[in-house]
Amino acid sequence: MNARTAFHGIFRLFTQSRLAVAGLGVTQIIGYGTLYYSFSVLAPSMGADYGLASDWVFGAFSASLLVSGLASPWAGRWIDRYGAGAIMAPGSVAAAAALVLCAHSANIPSFFIGLVAIHLASTFVLYNAAFALLVQMDPETARIRITHLTLIAGFASTILWPVTTELHAYLSWREVYDVFAAAHIVVCLPVHSWLAMLSRSQRRLANRTMASTVEPMLSSEHIRAGFILMVCGFAFLGFVNAAILIHMLPILAALGLGGVSVLVGTLFGPAQVASRLISLLSGNKLRPLALALISTGLMSGAVALLLWTGSALTGAVAFAILFGLGSGLSSIAQGTLPLALFGSHGYGERIGKSTAVRLIASSAAPFVFAFILHRAGISLSLTICVGFGIMAAVSFALIARLQRRQDER
């Protein structure tokens, strides 16, 4: 009887873990699509409403990202203390309220406050909280669960760019934000509420059974240097990712591909999913550090290819696919590399600090890229992104060097 009860308990937890990943996948698609990807589609209308040039609209977006980056370590400490599940449900309410606040802003200051609120809320509902939830539920299976999650969430841009474009054909940007706010209440809030209850029960079970933890790969003497290098690598890569993703449609338009920019841009999402599917089917044999290096090479190479091919449609298609492949692997690395290098203890705060620096770098990207794009042209803008990608690769390579030195001792 005890054996049967134990078996049913294990089966139930396994099933719940799979449902948790599926539920998180849906909320991440909605979260990233509404709080992040939709902005590039709606930004021109926002600027027209307030009489702002597009680079100043993206400047406000950058500033709001900066604020959320500064709040990420604080959010990470909350995640470690109270559990990721406990903050994701109120985070859904906060995201909906922030979208409504921004949608009904009467002037530029209130619009900026709304953008800040959107990105503050995002720290409680997007990847940081979702990854931490999976680590807290089961550290040993977290890496494969993170891959599963990023595989599902990779459809965010593919779904929400066309959806936002179609909605905006009939609704103002304010009304589109109201629709998105409703999605957070109707879909995300119930899922996150269920995950909060599930997480609490699994954390209590883990405390009773002395659940295992993931130990750090780096020794104590190398942890500080490794963390700094990892943060630098993700910061450089975050700049490239934010600059290209937020401006992908304007970049393609500037190259003379405006008529097919949405179509080419939608290739990014499937490519993201494809890279994560390849990683999953390979049994996650590639270590997180290798994933970080490969993703950096793919993203930098994609931008260099676009710079080289210019207005050629085939080059733009190859760019979208390669950049999506690299971005997909990068998302996995952002969740798994801190776990592999530094262990599961204090994961929430550590990933929060890493995200803070990455978001500070990313926050500058939309404004800086827009400023350079409009004043110096597309070539210099893309060249800067390639340079930052190379610097990210160097940072990750130095971590590999630290590991080799440690292993040789």
Side-chain angles (χ1 to χ4, degrees):
M1 185 67 178
N2 289 337
R4 180 182 297 179
T5 302
F7 172 79
H8 283 305
I10 293 170
F11 178 77
R12 183 168 58 85
L13 288 178
F14 176 73
T15 303
Q16 287 178 337
S17 295
R18 297 182 69 176
L19 288 174
V21 171
L24 281 173
V26 172
T27 65
Q28 295 306 290
I29 288 174
I30 294 173
Y32 273 102
T34 61
L35 302 176
Y36 191 81
Y37 288 120
S38 66
F39 186 84
S40 61
V41 178
L42 301 176
S45 296
M46 294 172 175
D49 253 14
Y50 296 109
L52 293 173
S54 61
D55 50 356
W56 287 107
V57 176
F58 282 108
F61 184 82
S62 297
S64 64
L65 280 178
L66 173 62
V67 174
S68 69
L70 295 174
S72 289
W74 170 66
R77 285 190 288 270
W78 271 39
I79 287 170
D80 281 337
R81 181 177 301 175
Y82 302 109
I87 70 168
M88 294 190 81
S92 296
V93 177
L99 286 165
V100 171
L101 176 64
C102 191
H104 295 274
S105 54
N107 48 45
I108 294 174
S110 60
F111 170 69
F112 176 69
I113 291 171
L115 286 180
V116 170
I118 286 172
H119 290 108
L120 282 176
S122 72
T123 62
F124 296 100
V125 295
L126 296 184
Y127 270 162
N128 274 13
F131 290 162
L133 176 65
L134 296 176
V135 170
Q136 290 170 355
M137 287 175 67
D138 187 352
E140 289 191 337
T141 64
R143 182 181 171 189
I144 188 69
R145 299 300 182 199
I146 287 172
T147 305
H148 288 155
L149 175 59
T150 58
L151 179 64
I152 300 170
F155 287 104
S157 61
T158 303
I159 295 172
L160 264 297
W161 268 338
V163 166
T164 304
T165 301
E166 188 65 20
L167 284 174
H168 195 33
Y170 300 96
L171 304 174
S172 69
W173 73 266
R174 299 175 187 274
E175 292 168 333
V176 171
Y177 264 13
D178 283 335
V179 171
F180 289 164
H184 280 272
I185 295 298
V186 173
V187 180
C188 298
L189 178 58
V191 173
H192 288 159
S193 297
W194 171 72
L195 288 171
M197 294 186 291
L198 176 62
S199 177
R200 281 195 296 269
S201 65
Q202 294 205 358
R203 280 164 69 91
R204 285 195 296 267
L205 178 62
N207 290 335
R208 289 198 302 268
T209 59
M210 301 289 289
S212 59
T213 59
V214 174
E215 296 299 323
M217 291 178 63
L218 288 179
S219 63
S220 57
E221 61 181 301
H222 291 142
I223 281 181
R224 180 177 175 82
F227 184 74
I228 291 172
L229 288 170
M230 183 194 73
V231 166
C232 289
F234 284 139
F236 289 130
L237 205 57
F239 182 96
V240 176
N241 197 52
I244 298 300
L245 283 185
I246 291 297
H247 291 286
M248 184 177 289
L249 303 185
I251 287 170
L252 295 172
L255 291 171
L257 295 164
V260 294
S261 60
V262 173
L263 178 62
V264 172
T266 55
L267 297 173
F268 168 81
Q272 269 194 326
V273 173
S275 66
R276 293 162 183 170
L277 182 60
I278 291 169
S279 176
L280 181 63
L281 293 177
S282 69
N284 279 340
K285 292 180 181 178
L286 285 175
R287 293 185 176 183
L289 186 55
L291 287 178
L293 284 165
I294 293 170
S295 68
T296 303
L298 286 170
M299 293 170 70
S300 303
V303 179
L305 178 64
L306 185 65
L307 181 62
W308 180 52
T309 58
S311 60
L313 178 59
T314 53
V317 169
F319 150 75
I321 293 173
L322 290 175
F323 197 83
L325 290 171
S327 181
L329 295 179
S330 175
S331 297
I332 300 174
Q334 288 169 21
T336 59
L337 187 57
L339 180 63
L341 293 178
F342 313 112
S344 56
H345 181 69
Y347 176 85
E349 182 173 2
R350 192 172 289 112
I351 198 174
K353 290 179 178 178
S354 174
T355 301
V357 180
R358 178 171 57 83
L359 283 180
I360 289 171
S362 299
S363 68
F367 178 73
V368 170
F369 192 92
F371 186 87
I372 297 172
L373 178 65
H374 290 117
R375 286 162 176 78
I378 190 69
S379 296
L380 180 59
S381 305
L382 294 179
T383 301
I384 290 173
C385 286
V386 173
F388 275 31
I390 293 171
M391 294 168 73
V394 170
S395 299
F396 294 130
L398 289 174
I399 297 177
R401 186 181 179 187
L402 276 180
Q403 283 188 300
R404 284 195 300 271
R405 284 183 176 179
Q406 179 177 297
D407 294 340
E408 288 171 358
R409 292 184 178 181

